[in-house]
């Protein structure tokens, strides 16, 4: 070993939820070992107010803090603000852009993803992923009359709902809104909220919080690879455009961006703007125009690209034999190990390759990032100490809780090809959908304050035959919790 290179038994790369959770867990498991956390941003995501709601469902706050806060809570963790440039896995050496080299015993890569922009370096296209991009969005929105949002995931959904004082054209490639998270029926339930004026009374957040640190911390971070926005990232943020209006949203379904046009290109092509809702303003000159794949053309002040991310694997690939999944992530086994010795991965950068439980699947969310980060740390320590470790129970059932359109949403999925659906809908109040297969509960979507999360989770895990009860399963006057206790 080169005596000039600092050695750490455990090194974690990434200051997002997965990386920080991994480092904190390593700190608690190995209090006598010095652990290194390398963050591409001076701000890191930390978990606070962690609470177990059910066996698999959890609630916690996500706060963005200066990276030194991790050292305060975990004295044996050293945090550095650096960018990784190269991994020499055969030598167990990690290089950073400033020329520093670190040697590791075991490495966990949690460097997240990079935004998939519809047009790179375009002056009127803005991607939203981290704190800085949100600040830039707020700045541009303050003088905007109309924006076009492209994408149908969590960030796009929250953005469309939160923006006020600005017209929004929402371009999605699916048949229904928010299809990443909900089925078409639930999407229809949400539609009435798109153009409804928001209540001025802010309800207390029961889920994760997202806070912005002072500008002095933001100014010191110039990277575009900061940790992804956590849940409820839009809560308490001022997202208001130039106009004196509330929600004005128009959705274009089954479309993608065909072309971006400058005013000169728009005019020379002899195009005309497509009809917009009557409540929208008419302007014959916009800074940028978007031509969709259905040939409709809309002008706007700027475009928000919220089309997801790609795993940020580039700094680690050269000279190493990683197996890459179809989505671009590192394939990991049930110990979160990549195909390179002593290199683990967690969060958005990894793709699980073990045989999955019937009711669990990978979905790159903050809740799974936390679970993977913690489990990776447990696996690293177990492997280092030559101990056996069983796959964590959190991988038995996919369960996720979040808020869309100011409704709490619980999701547990696991559909087969032969199933039946039960549905209960109360307009503007609740949407309950359960999936039964052979009389047993396989999945559920709960929107609103239903208080059925734990009961349905247990029914999925226990696989009780519900055939005798299914006609009454969703009756509102029956207390299921007491019935199946």
């Amino acid at each position: 070993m080169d005596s000039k290179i600092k050695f750490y038994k455990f090194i974690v790369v990434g200051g997002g939820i997965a990386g920080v959770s991994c480092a904190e867990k390593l700190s608690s498991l190995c209090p006598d070992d010095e652990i290194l956390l390398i963050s591409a941003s001076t701000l890191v995501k930390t978990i606070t107010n962690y609470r177990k709601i059910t066996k698999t469902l959890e609630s916690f706050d996500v706060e963005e803090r200066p990276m030194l806060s991790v050292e305060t809570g975990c004295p044996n963790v050293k945090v550095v603000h650096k960018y990784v440039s190269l991994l020499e896995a055969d030598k167990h050496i990690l290089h950073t852009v400033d020329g520093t080299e670190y040697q590791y015993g075991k490495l966990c890569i949690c460097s997240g993803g990079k935004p998939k922009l519809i047009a790179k370096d375009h002056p009127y296209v803005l991607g939203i992923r981290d704190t800085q991009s949100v600040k830039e969005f707020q700045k541009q929105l303050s003088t905007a009359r109309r924006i076009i949002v492209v994408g149908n995931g969590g960030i796009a959904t929250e953005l469309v709902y939160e923006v006020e004082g600005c017209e929004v054209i929402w371009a999605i490639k699916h048949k229904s809104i928010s299809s990443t998270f909900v089925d078409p029926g639930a999407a229809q339930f949400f539609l009435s909220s798109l153009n409804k004026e928001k209540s001025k009374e802010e309800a207390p957040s029961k889920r994760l919080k997202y806070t912005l640190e002072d500008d002095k911390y933001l100014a010191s971070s110039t990277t575009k690879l900061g940790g992804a926005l956590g849940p409820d990232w839009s809560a308490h943020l001022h997202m208001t455009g130039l106009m004196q209006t509330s929600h004005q949203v128009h959705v274009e379904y089954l479309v993608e961006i065909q072309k971006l046009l400058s005013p000169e290109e728009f005019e020379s092509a002899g195009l005309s703007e497509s009809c917009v809702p009557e409540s929208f303003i008419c302007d014959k000159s916009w800074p940028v125009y978007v031509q969709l794949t259905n040939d409709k053309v809309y002008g706007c002040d700027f475009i928000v690209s919220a089309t997801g991310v790609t795993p940020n694997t580039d700094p680690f690939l050269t000279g190493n034999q990683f197996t890459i999944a179809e989505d671009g992530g590192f394939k990991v086994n049930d110990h979160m190990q990549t195909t390179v010795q002593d290199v683990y991965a967690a969060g958005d950068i990894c793709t699980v390759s073990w045989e999955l439980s019937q009711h669990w699947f990978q979905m790159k969310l903050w809740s799974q990032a936390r679970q993977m980060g913690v489990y990776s740390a447990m696996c690293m320590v177990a492997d280092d100490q030559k101990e056996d470790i069983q796959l964590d129970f959190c991988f038995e059932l996919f369960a996720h809780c979040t808020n869309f359109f100011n409704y709490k949403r619980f999701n547990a999925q696991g559909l087969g090809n032969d199933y039946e659906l039960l549905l209960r809908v109360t307009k503007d109040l609740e949407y309950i959908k359960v999936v039964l297969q052979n009389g047993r509960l396989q999945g559920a979507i709960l929107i609103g304050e239903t208080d059925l999360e734990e009961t349905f989770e247990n029914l999925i895990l226990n696989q009780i035959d519900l055939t005798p009860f299914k006609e009454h399963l969703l009756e509102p006057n029956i207390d299921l919790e007491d019935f199946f206790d």
Side-chain angles (χ1 to χ4, degrees), residues 64-78:
E64 198 161 36
R65 296 176 176 175
M67 61 185 191
L68 294 180
S69 65
V70 177
E71 295 184 355
T72 302
C74 304
N76 61 325
V77 175
K78 177 178 175 59

Side-chain angles (χ1 to χ4, degrees), residues 169-348:
I169 295 175
W170 190 5
I172 63 176
K173 64 181 181 180
H174 306 101
K175 293 181 180 180
S176 59
I177 65 171
S178 313
S179 63
T180 304
F181 290 90
V182 297
D183 67 330
Q188 189 67 32
F189 175 84
F190 283 146
L191 271 180
S192 62
S193 299
L194 278 184
N195 289 293
K196 183 188 297 181
E197 187 167 351
K198 289 195 301 179
S199 170
K200 298 303 180 183
E201 297 181 5
E202 291 188 355
S205 176
K206 296 184 180 181
R207 267 291 291 161
L208 321 183
K209 284 190 185 242
Y210 171 82
T211 60
L212 290 172
E213 289 293 338
D214 294 339
D215 287 342
K216 65 181 179 180
Y217 295 120
L218 294 172
S220 66
S221 178
T222 58
T223 177
K224 293 183 180 180
L225 297 176
L229 291 172
D232 297 338
W233 62 273
S234 57
H236 313 302
L237 293 186
H238 189 64
M239 289 201 227
T240 306
L242 192 62
M243 302 168 63
Q244 299 298 314
T245 59
S246 184
H247 287 312
Q248 291 198 89
V249 181
H250 172 70
V251 185
E252 285 288 343
Y253 297 96
L254 297 170
V255 296
E256 295 184 68
I257 301 298
Q258 182 179 149
K259 191 182 298 183
L260 300 181
L261 302 164
S262 67
E264 295 75 21
E265 291 170 330
F266 173 76
E267 186 174 351
S268 63
L271 296 171
S272 58
E273 191 173 7
S274 301
C275 293
V276 293
E278 290 184 2
S279 59
F280 278 37
I281 62 173
C282 291
D283 195 322
K284 295 184 179 180
S285 179
W286 293 96
V288 64
Y289 292 84
V290 171
Q291 185 173 17
L292 303 174
T293 49
N294 61 3
D295 288 331
K296 290 186 178 181
V297 179
Y298 294 106
C300 64
D301 288 303
F302 67 94
I303 301 126
V304 178
S305 179
T307 49
V309 299
T310 57
N312 182 34
T313 58
D314 292 351
F316 310 96
L317 296 178
T318 303
N320 300 310
Q321 301 300 312
F322 288 103
T323 299
I324 305 298
E326 289 185 7
D327 66 355
F330 291 133
K331 277 192 174 183
V332 294
N333 63 16
D334 59 1
H335 276 205
M336 304 305 293
Q337 296 167 321
T338 68
T339 50
V340 173
Q341 185 178 5
D342 293 326
V343 179
Y344 301 70
D348 286 359

Side-chain angles (χ1 to χ4, degrees), residues 432-460:
I432 303 173
K433 177 181 178 179
V434 298
V435 183
L436 294 173
Q437 185 179 53
N438 298 322
R440 290 166 171 79
L441 190 62
Q442 303 297 331
I445 296 177
L446 310 179
I447 299 173
E449 298 294 336
T450 66
D451 294 325
L452 292 171
E453 296 91 342
E454 187 170 12
T455 301
F456 280 6
E457 179 188 276
N458 289 332
L459 290 175
I460 293 171

Side-chain angles (χ1 to χ4, degrees), residues 47-66:
I47 299 295
T48 61
N49 301 327
Y50 176 82
R51 183 169 65 92
K52 199 84 168 171
I53 299 176
T54 67
K55 292 177 182 177
T56 59
L57 193 62
E58 14 181 74
S59 172
F60 50 85
D61 294 341
V62 174
E63 294 184 359
E64 198 161 36
R65 296 176 176 175

